[in-house]
């Protein structure tokens, strides 16, 4: 009876095994044939393409930024140090060189120890090739019910990978695709992020840290959990010793080393030159679009492009440092000058206007809330972080408080370029890219104040007016201009004084500038501005002499470059070349220069001498007196009406630098001219920047450059008394208490 039952049991068991086996085979075949989702074939695997980050480099070959969906920078196998590969094999797949994609021995070990014996310490059964399969084709569904399907898919893909690639190629693909957390993929990107060095430069212990992260990219993140990361690193080192890759002495020595990071993130909002990087991004997007219209297939975020720019890394660091020092100090003085009557506190009309233009308010209105409901909601207090330059404070505040807080900040823009080519050396579009995205170099047009006067005076010289021509400083009321009566900022009584053009420019005398405009003719001035590269439409009004035209910093910089570029204006240039990830050249860019000079060589030298006088004894004299700079410098200050805009243009033989400072809110100006004039609000940024450059011999070719010596004929034209006082009879018939009235005549001589 027992034998009969035993035979029956065996028969049923065999049938059951046959059914299970058949089902397993059919299940495997269904996956293999694509019933659970298409599997990549050998051809598709051989043509696998990474999504590669594009990189931005400075002129001195420093990587300053990336554009990416996934931060990945593929590198060849030859760039991997041997100890990196050894560490990977030792801890992740000791039998890597023995299996063909699937390590069945390890799988059976995991099956029996983990599933049958419930030993969770038995490790995983996935090979590097299987992990690569998962990296290349991530699991779409994380439900446990599909885990078996995913595992089998990865085994099939792993086998196909082993058929199509050799072991070195598999390691190369793996290390270039594996995630290190924080949206960082591939060993090169991880090495740059955590140690600020290329993968080829990783030491043994650094390689062990990164390889150790692969077990758990968050739990073993050395920045977040340094102790856990160090313990994991030492385990990797122990595995390298056990595998014969390290001697015992090396193992013991490496285990004693501290964990040292040089963490560097390529945060879109942070890092060096964020406004510059954003402008490069915009230009690169346009380039990709143009190329793709011609049949190419470039994507700024996935094609792994390398963008080489004109920016000078060291110069940009100094420029940003100078900006922060001055703007932080100026901000304190600015707030103190208003006290409790500050516009962002007391001007309810301005505050409401700003709130109505804010994103939170607009979202609420779009969602159907009334103005009152939105306004009440914006008053609700909550915990938030408010920034004060590089300091942050956690406070209980409302969205309304936050908007008012950021209203108070002064902003700025500064641009430094090579006047011969237009190559941009420094670019600061604002004080903080995270909070103020608006770029005051590429996007903003502001009234330029007295920085327009050199263009006016150049036009006058081109019209044949001598620099020693004298103009009365007496204030005039122009009857045909609705009684417009421009005055000078210092309100001094200059009724009886007559200025030469040189003296009037260096001291920025408004009353004289208008009279120079009248004598030159508005059409001639507008034509001169165009020839100097100003494309923005300008007002055809006498007030243009005082800089009421709104011009971009880029245009103004290109125009001023002509004074040290033989009269030829330039167009600011950011990108010199674009390559693919193998550095094969895709595009190169040349400077955009005007075909002819905007004015004569003699007038160029005359203007340069006149602007040198501005620095040596005029409105910019504090460059010499306060900051002690003895470099060859010409320049021009500028301040607009009601102290809304402060400007300074610094010109050296090898660098043109323009700075603007003001509020993003046009209703807010400086409380006083003393605080808001260009010489006080904008000039110090250039002065502090040049001071820093003077201390670094790297910049000697720029800082020690000299202007050419003008010929005697130029100096003779400037050899006249700066100011003449009216004679007795003229003074007799002038009433200093009564403005002279006349019509403005818009005609050239």
């Amino acid at each position: 009876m027992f034998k009969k039952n035993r035979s029956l049991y065996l028969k049923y068991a065999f049938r059951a095994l046959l059914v299970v086996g058949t089902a397993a085979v059919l299940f495997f075949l269904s996956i293999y044939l694509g019933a659970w989702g298409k599997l990549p074939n050998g051809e598709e695997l051989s043509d696998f393409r990474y999504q590669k980050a594009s990189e931005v480099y400075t002129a001195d070959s420093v990587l300053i930024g990336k554009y990416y969906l996934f931060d990945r920078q593929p590198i060849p196998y030859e760039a991997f140090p041997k100890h990196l590969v050894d560490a990977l094999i030792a801890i992740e797949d000791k039998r890597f060189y023995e299996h063909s994609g699937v390590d069945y021995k390890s799988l059976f070990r995991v099956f029996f120890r983990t599933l049958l014996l419930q030993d969770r310490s038995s490790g995983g059964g996935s090979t590097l090739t299987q992990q690569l399969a998962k990296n290349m084709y991530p699991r779409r569904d994380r439900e446990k019910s599909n885990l078996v399907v995913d595992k089998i898919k990865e085994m099939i893909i792993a086998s196909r990978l082993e058929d199509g690639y050799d072991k070195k190629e598999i390691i190369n693909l793996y290390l270039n695709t594996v995630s290190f957390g924080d949206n960082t993929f591939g060993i090169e990107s991880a090495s740059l992020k955590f140690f600020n060095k290329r993968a080829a430069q990783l030491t043994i212990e650094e390689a062990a840290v990164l390889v150790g992260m692969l077990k758990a990219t968050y739990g073993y993140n050395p920045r977040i959990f340094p102790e856990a990361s160090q313990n994991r690193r030492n385990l990797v080192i122990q595995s390298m010793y056990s595998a014969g890759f390290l001697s015992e002495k090396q193992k013991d020595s490496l285990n004693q080393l501290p964990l040292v990071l040089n963490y560097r993130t390529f945060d879109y909002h942070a890092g060096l030159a964020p406004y510059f990087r954003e402008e490069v991004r915009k230009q690169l997007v346009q380039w990709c679009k143009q190329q793709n219209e011609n049949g190419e297939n470039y994507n700024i975020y996935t094609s792994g492009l390398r963008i080489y720019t004109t920016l000078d890394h060291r110069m940009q660091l100094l420029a940003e440092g100078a900006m922060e020092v001055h703007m932080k100090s100026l901000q304190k003085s600015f707030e103190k000058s208003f006290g409790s009557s500050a516009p962002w506190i007391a001007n309810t009309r301005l505050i409401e206007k700003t709130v109505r233009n804010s994103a939170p308010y607009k979202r609420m209105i779009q969602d159907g809330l009334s103005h009152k409901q939105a306004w009440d909601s914006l008053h609700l207090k909550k915990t938030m972080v408010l920034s004060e330059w590089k300091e942050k404070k956690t406070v209980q505040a409302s969205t309304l408080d936050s908007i008012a807080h950021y209203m108070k900040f002064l902003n700025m823009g500064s641009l430094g370029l090579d006047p011969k080519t237009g190559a941009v050396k420094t670019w600061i579009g604002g004080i903080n890219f995270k909070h103020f995205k608006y770029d005051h170099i590429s996007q903003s047009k502001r009234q330029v104040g007295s920085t327009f006067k050199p263009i006016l005076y150049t036009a006058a010289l081109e019209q044949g007016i001598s620099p020693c021509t004298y103009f009365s400083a007496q204030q005039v009321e122009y009857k045909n201009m609705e009684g417009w009566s421009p005055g000078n900022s210092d309100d001094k009584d200059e009724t009886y004084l007559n200025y030469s053009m040189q003296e009037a420019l260096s001291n920025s005398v408004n009353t004289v500038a208008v009279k120079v405009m009248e004598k030159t003719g508005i059409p001639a001035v507008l034509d001169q501005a165009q020839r100097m590269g100003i494309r923005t439409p300008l007002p055809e009004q006498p007030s243009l002499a005082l800089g009421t035209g709104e011009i971009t910093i880029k245009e103004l910089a290109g125009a001023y470059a002509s004074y040290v570029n033989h009269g030829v204006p330039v167009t600011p240039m950011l990108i010199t070349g674009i390559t693919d990830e193998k550095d094969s050249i895709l595009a190169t860019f040349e400077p955009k220069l005007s075909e002819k000079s905007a004015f004569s060589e003699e007038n160029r030298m005359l203007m340069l001498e006149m602007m040198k006088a501005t620095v040596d004894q005029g409105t910019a004299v504090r460059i010499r007196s306060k900051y002690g700079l003895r470099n060859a410098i010409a320049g021009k200050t500028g301040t607009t009406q009601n102290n809304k805009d402060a400007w300074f243009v610094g010109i050296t033989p090898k660098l043109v630098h323009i700075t603007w400072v003001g509020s993003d809110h046009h209703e807010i100006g400086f409380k006083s001219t003393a605080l808001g004039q260009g010489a006080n609000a904008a000039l110090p940024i250039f002065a502090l920047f040049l001071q820093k450059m003077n201390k670094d011999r790297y910049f000697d070719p720029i800082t020690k450059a000299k202007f050419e010596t003008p010929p005697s004929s130029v100096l003779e034209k400037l050899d006249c008394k700066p100011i003449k006082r009216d004679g007795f009879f003229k003074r007799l018939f002038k009433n200093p208490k009564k403005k002279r009235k006349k019509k403005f005549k818009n005609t050239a001589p």
Side-chain angles (χ1 to χ4, degrees), residues 26 71-72 123 177 195 208 294 327 363 438 498 538 552 589 653:
L26 291 173
D71 185 2
R72 177 186 288 124
T177 57
F195 297 106
N294 296 326
M327 291 301 294
R363 279 197 302 269
Y438 193 73
N498 300 276
L538 298 173
T552 66
F589 303 91

Side-chain angles (χ1 to χ4, degrees), residues 303-352:
S303 296
L305 302 172
R306 292 181 179 176
I307 304 98
Y308 295 93
T309 71
T310 60
L311 197 77
D312 187 298
H313 174 256
R314 292 164 75 168
M315 198 181 291
Q316 179 74 17
L317 279 171
L318 297 185
E320 290 188 10
M323 180 274 291
E324 289 178 9
V325 168
H326 174 66
M327 291 301 294
K328 190 173 182 179
S329 172
L330 185 65
Q331 184 68 39
K332 289 181 180 178
S333 300
F334 180 67
E335 292 178 35
K336 184 178 179 181
S337 69
F338 282 106
S340 59
S341 63
W344 53 90
I345 298 173
N347 191 333
T348 54
R349 183 191 60 80
L350 176 59
I351 294 170
E352 181 170 347

